Amino acid sequence: MACPICSKDAAEKYRPFCSKRCADIDLGKWMTGAYAVPSESEDDADELVQELDKAMRERAEDDASKLH
């Protein structure tokens, strides 16, 4: 399977990506809205913002715990 970002072979640890870098690039695209699932409901947008905020806080906490 090829990495969807750079087309290199996927690494088991980061599957379907080849590296943390490509996984982070993909995450950034989702977080900035480069990828989007169409919806006409404003409630969906509010829910998505809440979920993204939660995911970002959890990731920041996880990254911080790895530093200590």
Short mmCIF file of all heavy atoms in Angstrom, two decimals:
data_model
loop_
_atom_site.label_atom_id
_atom_site.label_comp_id
_atom_site.label_asym_id
_atom_site.label_seq_id
_atom_site.Cartn_x
_atom_site.Cartn_y
_atom_site.Cartn_z
N MET A 1 0.85 -1.17 0.00
CA MET A 1 0.00 0.00 0.00
C MET A 1 0.89 1.24 0.00
O MET A 1 1.85 1.33 0.75
CB MET A 1 -0.90 -0.01 1.23
CG MET A 1 -1.64 1.29 1.44
SD MET A 1 -2.63 1.31 2.95
CE MET A 1 -4.19 0.89 2.26
N ALA A 2 0.55 2.19 -0.81
CA ALA A 2 1.33 3.43 -0.92
C ALA A 2 0.78 4.50 0.02
O ALA A 2 -0.43 4.60 0.24
CB ALA A 2 1.31 3.94 -2.35
N CYS A 3 1.66 5.30 0.56
CA CYS A 3 1.29 6.43 1.41
C CYS A 3 0.43 7.39 0.59
O CYS A 3 0.81 7.78 -0.52
CB CYS A 3 2.56 7.13 1.89
SG CYS A 3 2.28 8.63 2.84
N PRO A 4 -0.73 7.80 1.12
CA PRO A 4 -1.59 8.71 0.37
C PRO A 4 -1.03 10.13 0.22
O PRO A 4 -1.52 10.90 -0.59
CB PRO A 4 -2.89 8.71 1.16
CG PRO A 4 -2.53 8.24 2.52
CD PRO A 4 -1.33 7.37 2.37
N ILE A 5 -0.01 10.45 0.98
CA ILE A 5 0.58 11.79 0.91
C ILE A 5 1.74 11.84 -0.09
O ILE A 5 1.78 12.69 -0.97
CB ILE A 5 1.06 12.27 2.30
CG1 ILE A 5 -0.09 12.29 3.30
CG2 ILE A 5 1.75 13.64 2.21
CD1 ILE A 5 -1.24 13.23 2.94
N CYS A 6 2.69 10.90 0.02
CA CYS A 6 3.90 10.98 -0.81
C CYS A 6 4.10 9.78 -1.73
O CYS A 6 5.04 9.76 -2.51
CB CYS A 6 5.13 11.15 0.06
SG CYS A 6 5.56 9.66 0.99
N SER A 7 3.26 8.78 -1.63
CA SER A 7 3.28 7.57 -2.47
C SER A 7 4.41 6.60 -2.17
O SER A 7 4.60 5.64 -2.91
CB SER A 7 3.29 7.94 -3.96
OG SER A 7 2.14 8.68 -4.27
N LYS A 8 5.18 6.81 -1.09
CA LYS A 8 6.18 5.83 -0.68
C LYS A 8 5.45 4.64 -0.06
O LYS A 8 4.26 4.72 0.26
CB LYS A 8 7.14 6.43 0.36
CG LYS A 8 8.05 7.49 -0.20
CD LYS A 8 8.96 8.00 0.91
CE LYS A 8 9.85 9.12 0.42
NZ LYS A 8 10.66 9.70 1.51
N ASP A 9 6.16 3.54 0.17
CA ASP A 9 5.56 2.38 0.83
C ASP A 9 5.16 2.75 2.26
O ASP A 9 5.89 3.44 2.97
CB ASP A 9 6.54 1.21 0.87
CG ASP A 9 6.76 0.58 -0.50
OD1 ASP A 9 5.88 0.74 -1.37
OD2 ASP A 9 7.81 -0.05 -0.69
N ALA A 10 3.99 2.27 2.67
CA ALA A 10 3.51 2.55 4.02
C ALA A 10 4.35 1.81 5.05
O ALA A 10 4.82 0.70 4.81
CB ALA A 10 2.05 2.13 4.15
N ALA A 11 4.54 2.43 6.20
CA ALA A 11 5.25 1.81 7.32
C ALA A 11 4.21 1.25 8.28
O ALA A 11 3.18 1.89 8.54
CB ALA A 11 6.13 2.84 8.04
N GLU A 12 4.45 0.08 8.80
CA GLU A 12 3.49 -0.58 9.70
C GLU A 12 3.09 0.34 10.85
O GLU A 12 1.92 0.44 11.20
CB GLU A 12 4.09 -1.88 10.24
CG GLU A 12 3.12 -2.69 11.06
CD GLU A 12 1.95 -3.25 10.24
OE1 GLU A 12 2.13 -3.56 9.06
OE2 GLU A 12 0.85 -3.35 10.82
N LYS A 13 4.06 1.03 11.44
CA LYS A 13 3.80 1.89 12.60
C LYS A 13 2.86 3.05 12.27
O LYS A 13 2.10 3.49 13.14
CB LYS A 13 5.13 2.43 13.12
CG LYS A 13 5.00 3.27 14.37
CD LYS A 13 6.35 3.69 14.90
CE LYS A 13 6.21 4.52 16.16
NZ LYS A 13 7.51 4.90 16.71
N TYR A 14 2.90 3.56 11.06
CA TYR A 14 2.12 4.75 10.69
C TYR A 14 1.04 4.45 9.64
O TYR A 14 0.47 5.38 9.07
CB TYR A 14 3.05 5.84 10.17
CG TYR A 14 4.08 6.24 11.17
CD1 TYR A 14 5.40 5.86 11.03
CD2 TYR A 14 3.73 6.98 12.30
CE1 TYR A 14 6.36 6.20 11.97
CE2 TYR A 14 4.68 7.32 13.25
CZ TYR A 14 5.99 6.94 13.07
OH TYR A 14 6.91 7.29 14.01
N ARG A 15 0.79 3.21 9.36
CA ARG A 15 -0.13 2.79 8.31
C ARG A 15 -1.41 3.61 8.31
O ARG A 15 -1.96 3.82 9.37
CB ARG A 15 -0.45 1.32 8.48
CG ARG A 15 -1.12 0.75 7.30
CD ARG A 15 -1.27 -0.75 7.41
NE ARG A 15 -1.36 -1.25 6.07
CZ ARG A 15 -0.60 -2.14 5.53
NH1 ARG A 15 0.33 -2.70 6.25
NH2 ARG A 15 -0.74 -2.52 4.29
N PRO A 16 -1.88 4.15 7.25
CA PRO A 16 -1.50 3.92 5.87
C PRO A 16 -0.39 4.84 5.38
O PRO A 16 -0.09 4.89 4.19
CB PRO A 16 -2.79 4.19 5.10
CG PRO A 16 -3.42 5.30 5.87
CD PRO A 16 -3.10 4.97 7.32
N PHE A 17 0.23 5.58 6.30
CA PHE A 17 1.27 6.53 5.93
C PHE A 17 2.65 5.90 6.02
O PHE A 17 2.82 4.84 6.62
CB PHE A 17 1.19 7.78 6.80
CG PHE A 17 -0.18 8.38 6.81
CD1 PHE A 17 -1.05 8.17 7.86
CD2 PHE A 17 -0.62 9.13 5.73
CE1 PHE A 17 -2.33 8.69 7.84
CE2 PHE A 17 -1.89 9.67 5.71
CZ PHE A 17 -2.75 9.44 6.77
N CYS A 18 3.64 6.58 5.47
CA CYS A 18 5.01 6.05 5.49
C CYS A 18 5.78 6.56 6.70
O CYS A 18 6.78 5.97 7.10
CB CYS A 18 5.75 6.44 4.21
SG CYS A 18 6.06 8.21 4.08
N SER A 19 5.30 7.65 7.32
CA SER A 19 6.04 8.27 8.42
C SER A 19 5.12 9.14 9.25
O SER A 19 3.99 9.45 8.85
CB SER A 19 7.17 9.14 7.87
OG SER A 19 6.62 10.23 7.14
N LYS A 20 5.61 9.55 10.42
CA LYS A 20 4.86 10.48 11.27
C LYS A 20 4.64 11.80 10.54
O LYS A 20 3.59 12.42 10.65
CB LYS A 20 5.61 10.71 12.58
CG LYS A 20 4.86 11.61 13.55
CD LYS A 20 5.58 11.70 14.86
CE LYS A 20 4.88 12.51 15.92
NZ LYS A 20 3.96 13.52 15.56
N ARG A 21 5.63 12.21 9.77
CA ARG A 21 5.53 13.47 9.01
C ARG A 21 4.31 13.44 8.09
O ARG A 21 3.51 14.37 8.08
CB ARG A 21 6.80 13.71 8.21
CG ARG A 21 6.75 14.97 7.37
CD ARG A 21 8.03 15.09 6.49
NE ARG A 21 7.93 16.20 5.60
CZ ARG A 21 7.31 16.17 4.41
NH1 ARG A 21 6.75 15.07 3.98
NH2 ARG A 21 7.26 17.24 3.66
N CYS A 22 4.17 12.38 7.31
CA CYS A 22 3.03 12.29 6.38
C CYS A 22 1.71 12.17 7.14
O CYS A 22 0.71 12.74 6.74
CB CYS A 22 3.21 11.14 5.40
SG CYS A 22 4.40 11.52 4.08
N ALA A 23 1.71 11.45 8.26
CA ALA A 23 0.50 11.35 9.08
C ALA A 23 0.12 12.73 9.61
O ALA A 23 -1.06 13.11 9.61
CB ALA A 23 0.72 10.38 10.23
N ASP A 24 1.11 13.52 10.04
CA ASP A 24 0.84 14.87 10.55
C ASP A 24 0.36 15.80 9.44
O ASP A 24 -0.50 16.65 9.67
CB ASP A 24 2.08 15.45 11.22
CG ASP A 24 2.36 14.80 12.58
OD1 ASP A 24 1.47 14.12 13.12
OD2 ASP A 24 3.49 14.98 13.08
N ILE A 25 0.89 15.65 8.25
CA ILE A 25 0.43 16.46 7.12
C ILE A 25 -1.04 16.17 6.86
O ILE A 25 -1.85 17.09 6.68
CB ILE A 25 1.27 16.18 5.85
CG1 ILE A 25 2.67 16.78 6.01
CG2 ILE A 25 0.59 16.74 4.61
CD1 ILE A 25 3.65 16.35 4.92
N ASP A 26 -1.41 14.89 6.88
CA ASP A 26 -2.80 14.51 6.66
C ASP A 26 -3.70 15.08 7.77
O ASP A 26 -4.76 15.64 7.49
CB ASP A 26 -2.92 12.99 6.61
CG ASP A 26 -4.32 12.53 6.27
OD1 ASP A 26 -4.71 12.66 5.09
OD2 ASP A 26 -5.02 12.04 7.18
N LEU A 27 -3.26 14.97 9.02
CA LEU A 27 -4.03 15.51 10.14
C LEU A 27 -4.21 17.02 9.97
O LEU A 27 -5.31 17.55 10.18
CB LEU A 27 -3.33 15.21 11.46
CG LEU A 27 -3.99 15.76 12.72
CD1 LEU A 27 -5.39 15.18 12.90
CD2 LEU A 27 -3.13 15.49 13.93
N GLY A 28 -3.16 17.71 9.57
CA GLY A 28 -3.25 19.15 9.34
C GLY A 28 -4.26 19.50 8.27
O GLY A 28 -4.99 20.49 8.39
N LYS A 29 -4.34 18.69 7.23
CA LYS A 29 -5.32 18.95 6.18
C LYS A 29 -6.74 18.81 6.72
O LYS A 29 -7.62 19.60 6.38
CB LYS A 29 -5.10 18.00 5.00
CG LYS A 29 -3.87 18.35 4.19
CD LYS A 29 -3.72 17.41 3.00
CE LYS A 29 -2.52 17.80 2.16
NZ LYS A 29 -2.40 16.98 0.96
N TRP A 30 -6.96 17.81 7.57
CA TRP A 30 -8.29 17.67 8.17
C TRP A 30 -8.60 18.86 9.08
O TRP A 30 -9.70 19.40 9.05
CB TRP A 30 -8.38 16.37 8.97
CG TRP A 30 -8.67 15.18 8.13
CD1 TRP A 30 -7.79 14.21 7.75
CD2 TRP A 30 -9.92 14.84 7.51
NE1 TRP A 30 -8.42 13.29 6.96
CE2 TRP A 30 -9.72 13.64 6.79
CE3 TRP A 30 -11.18 15.42 7.51
CZ2 TRP A 30 -10.74 13.03 6.08
CZ3 TRP A 30 -12.20 14.80 6.81
CH2 TRP A 30 -11.97 13.62 6.10
N MET A 31 -7.62 19.26 9.87
CA MET A 31 -7.85 20.31 10.86
C MET A 31 -8.04 21.69 10.22
O MET A 31 -8.70 22.55 10.79
CB MET A 31 -6.72 20.33 11.87
CG MET A 31 -6.71 19.04 12.69
SD MET A 31 -5.36 18.97 13.83
CE MET A 31 -6.12 19.74 15.23
N THR A 32 -7.45 21.92 9.06
CA THR A 32 -7.61 23.22 8.41
C THR A 32 -8.78 23.26 7.45
O THR A 32 -9.09 24.29 6.88
CB THR A 32 -6.34 23.61 7.63
OG1 THR A 32 -6.10 22.63 6.61
CG2 THR A 32 -5.13 23.72 8.54
N GLY A 33 -9.44 22.11 7.28
CA GLY A 33 -10.61 22.07 6.40
C GLY A 33 -10.26 21.76 4.95
O GLY A 33 -11.13 21.86 4.08
N ALA A 34 -9.01 21.40 4.68
CA ALA A 34 -8.65 21.04 3.31
C ALA A 34 -9.42 19.80 2.86
O ALA A 34 -9.73 19.64 1.69
CB ALA A 34 -7.14 20.80 3.20
N TYR A 35 -9.69 18.90 3.83
CA TYR A 35 -10.58 17.78 3.58
C TYR A 35 -11.89 18.15 4.27
O TYR A 35 -11.89 18.67 5.37
CB TYR A 35 -10.09 16.49 4.23
CG TYR A 35 -8.75 15.96 3.78
CD1 TYR A 35 -7.91 15.33 4.69
CD2 TYR A 35 -8.33 16.04 2.47
CE1 TYR A 35 -6.69 14.80 4.31
CE2 TYR A 35 -7.11 15.53 2.08
CZ TYR A 35 -6.30 14.90 3.00
OH TYR A 35 -5.10 14.38 2.61
N ALA A 36 -12.98 17.86 3.65
CA ALA A 36 -14.26 18.19 4.28
C ALA A 36 -15.33 17.23 3.83
O ALA A 36 -15.34 16.78 2.69
CB ALA A 36 -14.67 19.62 3.93
N VAL A 37 -16.21 16.92 4.74
CA VAL A 37 -17.38 16.12 4.43
C VAL A 37 -18.54 17.10 4.35
O VAL A 37 -18.82 17.82 5.31
CB VAL A 37 -17.64 15.07 5.53
CG1 VAL A 37 -18.89 14.28 5.24
CG2 VAL A 37 -16.43 14.16 5.68
N PRO A 38 -19.18 17.19 3.20
CA PRO A 38 -20.23 18.20 3.04
C PRO A 38 -21.42 17.98 3.98
O PRO A 38 -21.82 16.84 4.22
CB PRO A 38 -20.67 18.05 1.58
CG PRO A 38 -20.00 16.86 1.04
CD PRO A 38 -18.99 16.39 2.02
N SER A 39 -21.92 19.08 4.50
CA SER A 39 -23.10 19.04 5.35
C SER A 39 -23.79 20.38 5.27
O SER A 39 -23.15 21.42 5.14
CB SER A 39 -22.70 18.76 6.80
OG SER A 39 -23.82 18.84 7.64
N GLU A 40 -25.08 20.34 5.36
CA GLU A 40 -25.86 21.58 5.34
C GLU A 40 -26.35 21.95 6.74
O GLU A 40 -26.97 22.98 6.92
CB GLU A 40 -27.03 21.44 4.38
CG GLU A 40 -26.56 21.30 2.94
CD GLU A 40 -27.71 21.19 1.95
OE1 GLU A 40 -28.84 21.57 2.30
OE2 GLU A 40 -27.45 20.74 0.84
N SER A 41 -26.04 21.12 7.72
CA SER A 41 -26.50 21.35 9.07
C SER A 41 -25.46 22.13 9.86
O SER A 41 -24.30 21.72 9.97
CB SER A 41 -26.79 20.02 9.77
OG SER A 41 -27.02 20.23 11.14
N GLU A 42 -25.87 23.24 10.46
CA GLU A 42 -24.96 24.03 11.28
C GLU A 42 -24.57 23.28 12.55
O GLU A 42 -23.48 23.44 13.08
CB GLU A 42 -25.59 25.38 11.64
CG GLU A 42 -24.57 26.46 11.79
CD GLU A 42 -25.20 27.83 11.84
OE1 GLU A 42 -25.72 28.28 10.82
OE2 GLU A 42 -25.16 28.42 12.92
N ASP A 43 -25.46 22.43 13.04
CA ASP A 43 -25.16 21.62 14.22
C ASP A 43 -23.97 20.71 13.97
O ASP A 43 -23.16 20.48 14.86
CB ASP A 43 -26.37 20.78 14.64
CG ASP A 43 -27.52 21.64 15.16
OD1 ASP A 43 -27.27 22.78 15.60
OD2 ASP A 43 -28.68 21.16 15.13
N ASP A 44 -23.86 20.17 12.75
CA ASP A 44 -22.73 19.31 12.43
C ASP A 44 -21.42 20.08 12.55
O ASP A 44 -20.44 19.54 13.05
CB ASP A 44 -22.86 18.76 11.00
CG ASP A 44 -23.96 17.72 10.87
OD1 ASP A 44 -24.43 17.20 11.92
OD2 ASP A 44 -24.35 17.42 9.74
N ALA A 45 -21.40 21.31 12.12
CA ALA A 45 -20.19 22.12 12.19
C ALA A 45 -19.80 22.39 13.64
O ALA A 45 -18.63 22.28 14.00
CB ALA A 45 -20.38 23.43 11.44
N ASP A 46 -20.77 22.71 14.48
CA ASP A 46 -20.49 22.96 15.89
C ASP A 46 -19.94 21.72 16.57
O ASP A 46 -18.98 21.78 17.34
CB ASP A 46 -21.75 23.43 16.63
CG ASP A 46 -22.22 24.80 16.20
OD1 ASP A 46 -21.38 25.57 15.67
OD2 ASP A 46 -23.41 25.11 16.39
N GLU A 47 -20.53 20.58 16.27
CA GLU A 47 -20.08 19.31 16.84
C GLU A 47 -18.65 18.99 16.39
O GLU A 47 -17.82 18.56 17.18
CB GLU A 47 -21.02 18.19 16.44
CG GLU A 47 -20.69 16.85 17.05
CD GLU A 47 -21.67 15.77 16.64
OE1 GLU A 47 -22.87 16.06 16.50
OE2 GLU A 47 -21.21 14.63 16.45
N LEU A 48 -18.37 19.23 15.13
CA LEU A 48 -17.03 18.98 14.60
C LEU A 48 -15.99 19.85 15.28
O LEU A 48 -14.91 19.38 15.65
CB LEU A 48 -17.01 19.22 13.09
CG LEU A 48 -15.65 19.06 12.41
CD1 LEU A 48 -15.13 17.63 12.58
CD2 LEU A 48 -15.74 19.41 10.95
N VAL A 49 -16.30 21.11 15.49
CA VAL A 49 -15.36 22.02 16.16
C VAL A 49 -15.07 21.51 17.58
O VAL A 49 -13.92 21.49 18.01
CB VAL A 49 -15.91 23.46 16.19
CG1 VAL A 49 -15.11 24.34 17.13
CG2 VAL A 49 -15.91 24.04 14.79
N GLN A 50 -16.11 21.07 18.28
CA GLN A 50 -15.92 20.54 19.64
C GLN A 50 -15.04 19.28 19.62
O GLN A 50 -14.15 19.12 20.45
CB GLN A 50 -17.26 20.24 20.28
CG GLN A 50 -18.06 21.47 20.60
CD GLN A 50 -19.47 21.15 21.08
OE1 GLN A 50 -19.87 19.99 21.16
NE2 GLN A 50 -20.23 22.19 21.39
N GLU A 51 -15.28 18.39 18.68
CA GLU A 51 -14.49 17.17 18.57
C GLU A 51 -13.03 17.48 18.22
O GLU A 51 -12.12 16.86 18.77
CB GLU A 51 -15.09 16.23 17.53
CG GLU A 51 -16.40 15.61 17.96
CD GLU A 51 -17.04 14.75 16.88
OE1 GLU A 51 -16.33 14.34 15.94
OE2 GLU A 51 -18.24 14.49 16.99
N LEU A 52 -12.81 18.43 17.32
CA LEU A 52 -11.44 18.80 16.96
C LEU A 52 -10.71 19.43 18.14
O LEU A 52 -9.54 19.13 18.38
CB LEU A 52 -11.44 19.76 15.77
CG LEU A 52 -11.75 19.13 14.42
CD1 LEU A 52 -11.89 20.21 13.36
CD2 LEU A 52 -10.67 18.15 14.03
N ASP A 53 -11.39 20.29 18.89
CA ASP A 53 -10.78 20.90 20.08
C ASP A 53 -10.37 19.82 21.07
O ASP A 53 -9.27 19.86 21.62
CB ASP A 53 -11.74 21.89 20.75
CG ASP A 53 -11.87 23.20 20.01
OD1 ASP A 53 -11.00 23.51 19.17
OD2 ASP A 53 -12.85 23.93 20.28
N LYS A 54 -11.25 18.86 21.30
CA LYS A 54 -10.96 17.77 22.23
C LYS A 54 -9.76 16.96 21.74
O LYS A 54 -8.85 16.65 22.52
CB LYS A 54 -12.18 16.86 22.37
CG LYS A 54 -11.96 15.71 23.32
CD LYS A 54 -13.19 14.82 23.40
CE LYS A 54 -12.90 13.60 24.25
NZ LYS A 54 -13.99 12.64 24.22
N ALA A 55 -9.74 16.62 20.45
CA ALA A 55 -8.64 15.83 19.89
C ALA A 55 -7.32 16.59 20.00
O ALA A 55 -6.28 16.00 20.32
CB ALA A 55 -8.94 15.47 18.44
N MET A 56 -7.35 17.89 19.76
CA MET A 56 -6.12 18.69 19.84
C MET A 56 -5.61 18.74 21.28
O MET A 56 -4.41 18.65 21.52
CB MET A 56 -6.37 20.09 19.30
CG MET A 56 -6.55 20.12 17.79
SD MET A 56 -7.03 21.72 17.12
CE MET A 56 -5.73 22.77 17.68
N ARG A 57 -6.51 18.90 22.25
CA ARG A 57 -6.10 18.92 23.66
C ARG A 57 -5.50 17.58 24.06
O ARG A 57 -4.46 17.52 24.72
CB ARG A 57 -7.29 19.25 24.57
CG ARG A 57 -7.65 20.72 24.60
CD ARG A 57 -8.62 21.04 25.73
NE ARG A 57 -9.83 20.23 25.70
CZ ARG A 57 -10.92 20.51 24.99
NH1 ARG A 57 -10.96 21.60 24.27
NH2 ARG A 57 -11.97 19.73 25.03
N GLU A 58 -6.15 16.48 23.65
CA GLU A 58 -5.65 15.15 23.99
C GLU A 58 -4.27 14.91 23.37
O GLU A 58 -3.39 14.36 24.01
CB GLU A 58 -6.63 14.07 23.52
CG GLU A 58 -7.91 14.04 24.35
CD GLU A 58 -8.96 13.11 23.78
OE1 GLU A 58 -8.76 12.53 22.68
OE2 GLU A 58 -10.00 12.94 24.44
N ARG A 59 -4.10 15.34 22.14
CA ARG A 59 -2.80 15.15 21.48
C ARG A 59 -1.73 15.98 22.16
O ARG A 59 -0.61 15.53 22.36
CB ARG A 59 -2.91 15.50 20.00
CG ARG A 59 -1.62 15.23 19.28
CD ARG A 59 -1.76 15.32 17.81
NE ARG A 59 -0.49 14.99 17.21
CZ ARG A 59 -0.35 14.39 16.08
NH1 ARG A 59 -1.41 14.05 15.40
NH2 ARG A 59 0.83 14.12 15.59
N ALA A 60 -2.06 17.21 22.54
CA ALA A 60 -1.09 18.08 23.24
C ALA A 60 -0.71 17.47 24.58
O ALA A 60 0.46 17.48 24.95
CB ALA A 60 -1.66 19.47 23.42
N GLU A 61 -1.68 16.93 25.29
CA GLU A 61 -1.40 16.28 26.57
C GLU A 61 -0.52 15.05 26.37
O GLU A 61 0.42 14.81 27.14
CB GLU A 61 -2.70 15.88 27.28
CG GLU A 61 -3.50 17.06 27.78
CD GLU A 61 -4.88 16.68 28.28
OE1 GLU A 61 -5.22 15.47 28.27
OE2 GLU A 61 -5.64 17.58 28.65
N ASP A 62 -0.80 14.28 25.34
CA ASP A 62 -0.01 13.08 25.04
C ASP A 62 1.43 13.47 24.68
O ASP A 62 2.38 12.88 25.17
CB ASP A 62 -0.65 12.31 23.89
CG ASP A 62 0.05 11.00 23.62
OD1 ASP A 62 0.31 10.25 24.59
OD2 ASP A 62 0.31 10.72 22.44
N ASP A 63 1.57 14.49 23.84
CA ASP A 63 2.91 14.96 23.46
C ASP A 63 3.67 15.48 24.69
O ASP A 63 4.86 15.23 24.84
CB ASP A 63 2.84 16.05 22.39
CG ASP A 63 2.42 15.50 21.03
OD1 ASP A 63 2.41 14.27 20.85
OD2 ASP A 63 2.08 16.32 20.16
N ALA A 64 2.97 16.21 25.57
CA ALA A 64 3.61 16.75 26.77
C ALA A 64 4.05 15.63 27.69
O ALA A 64 5.13 15.70 28.30
CB ALA A 64 2.67 17.70 27.50
N SER A 65 3.24 14.58 27.83
CA SER A 65 3.61 13.48 28.72
C SER A 65 4.82 12.71 28.18
O SER A 65 5.58 12.14 28.97
CB SER A 65 2.42 12.53 28.92
OG SER A 65 2.14 11.82 27.73
N LYS A 66 5.02 12.70 26.87
CA LYS A 66 6.17 12.02 26.30
C LYS A 66 7.46 12.79 26.56
O LYS A 66 8.53 12.21 26.55
CB LYS A 66 5.98 11.84 24.80
CG LYS A 66 4.93 10.82 24.46
CD LYS A 66 4.75 10.71 22.96
CE LYS A 66 3.64 9.72 22.64
NZ LYS A 66 3.39 9.66 21.19
N LEU A 67 7.34 14.09 26.80
CA LEU A 67 8.52 14.92 27.05
C LEU A 67 9.03 14.76 28.48
O LEU A 67 10.18 15.06 28.76
CB LEU A 67 8.22 16.39 26.78
CG LEU A 67 7.93 16.76 25.32
CD1 LEU A 67 7.50 18.22 25.24
CD2 LEU A 67 9.15 16.51 24.46
N HIS A 68 8.16 14.33 29.39
CA HIS A 68 8.56 14.23 30.81
C HIS A 68 8.98 12.86 31.16
O HIS A 68 8.87 11.87 30.91
CB HIS A 68 7.43 14.66 31.72
CG HIS A 68 7.05 16.09 31.52
ND1 HIS A 68 7.96 17.12 31.55
CD2 HIS A 68 5.87 16.69 31.27
CE1 HIS A 68 7.34 18.26 31.33
NE2 HIS A 68 6.06 18.03 31.15
#
